[in-house]
Every structure is written in C-alpha cells, then in structure tokens.
Amino acid sequence: MDAETKAGKGVLGPRAAVVFALVLTLLLASLSGLVMLPAAQHLRSLQDGRQAEATLVAAGSGCFLGGCKVRFEAEGRTVVANLPVGSGHGENVAGERLTVRYREDDPQVVASQDDVGGGGPAAATVVFGAGAVLFLVMAVWASVHVRRQRRTEAG
C-alpha cells in the first residue's frame, strides 16, 4: 500500500506520529509545569492568610479555570475578588457562603479555605506530567521503530 492510500485512509505516517507525540509531550509538560504547578504553589501560599467569610458572586463550571468571584469584608471594606485557577467550587451556585483565605497586604489575592492545600492542581500536575512522560516514551519508541525499518529496507 503506498503512502497516498494510507493517508487517504487516515493512517499517520511514522514521522507524523513522532511529531504528534512530541507536540503532545510539550503541551502536557507545559500544562503541568507552567500552569498547574504554579497554581498549586499559589494556593498553598495562602494557607497562612487571613480568614474571612465570603459569598460566591459568580460560580459554575469555570471555577477550576479561575472564573469564580467572591465578596467578603477585609479590614472594614468590601472586596470582590476572583478565586484562582484550581478552585474546586464548580458545583456551587452564586449566593453560597464559604470561608476564604486572603493576603493581608492584598485582599484581591484570595482562595477558598477548602482549596489552600493545592490538591486539585497538584493532582493535575502529576497527571499531565505522567502524560508527558508517556508521550515522550511513545515518541522515542516510534523514532527507534522508524530507524529500524529504514535499516531493514536499505539493508
């Protein structure tokens, strides 16, 4: 079967498979190291922050991506702040009460008391990192396989 027939049937060539695996490796490694790990560290940094009772102003499925807002009192003034990436309040609805931790010097930096352990983003860091390693192994295996095929065909 020639390359055009294989391409027409949706089969990737060996080089395309290696490139695809490398792209997925880079994507997953980037998500792990550049997004989820800093999110987990940020959440953990608020463990010793000031505590306040807050009301969810905006909630929903976008909470894990940083789309939730809370309103709370900090040092005599009302603060409306976004919960950070990795927040686990997607099932909550606007108007619900929760406990938050915030930085004393900047009340806009806030996280839910339930999230300051950083568990969600830390787990995502591990999963994305493991996926990156898996696709890297696949890329190496595919590269070795392609080289062996070339040697067999040339030999």
Side-chain angles (χ1 to χ4, degrees):
M1 194 178 280
D2 65 353
E4 287 180 21
T5 306
K6 282 185 181 179
K9 290 187 177 186
V11 176
L12 287 178
R15 287 185 186 153
V18 170
V19 170
F20 182 71
L22 287 174
V23 167
L24 282 175
T25 297
L26 289 173
L27 175 67
L28 291 171
S30 296
L31 280 172
S32 179
L34 299 175
V35 177
M36 297 282 82
L37 182 61
Q41 291 170 337
H42 172 70
L43 287 171
R44 286 188 187 127
S45 75
L46 291 168
Q47 284 179 331
D48 296 328
R50 297 278 309 254
Q51 190 171 335
E53 290 301 312
T55 303
L56 274 171
V57 177
S61 60
C63 279
F64 193 77
L65 301 174
C68 281
K69 290 184 182 217
V70 292
R71 180 177 41 243
F72 62 98
E73 295 290 323
E75 300 180 26
R77 64 180 196 166
T78 301
V79 178
V80 176
N82 287 331
L83 291 176
V85 170
S87 295
H89 292 282
E91 68 281 350
N92 295 47
V93 295
E96 286 191 44
R97 302 281 296 164
L98 66 136
T99 303
V100 295
R101 296 258 180 193
Y102 65 92
R103 283 203 184 127
E104 256 184 275
D105 58 340
D106 186 5
Q108 291 293 319
V109 179
V110 64
S112 168
Q113 174 66 37
D114 298 338
D115 296 331
V116 294
T125 299
V126 171
V127 169
F128 290 145
V133 169
L134 173 71
F135 280 104
L136 181 61
V137 167
M138 289 173 57
V140 169
W141 178 83
S143 296
V144 169
H145 183 70
V146 167
R147 286 189 150 212
R148 285 185 180 164
Q149 274 187 331
R150 281 189 198 156
R151 285 185 189 157
T152 304
E153 290 171 2

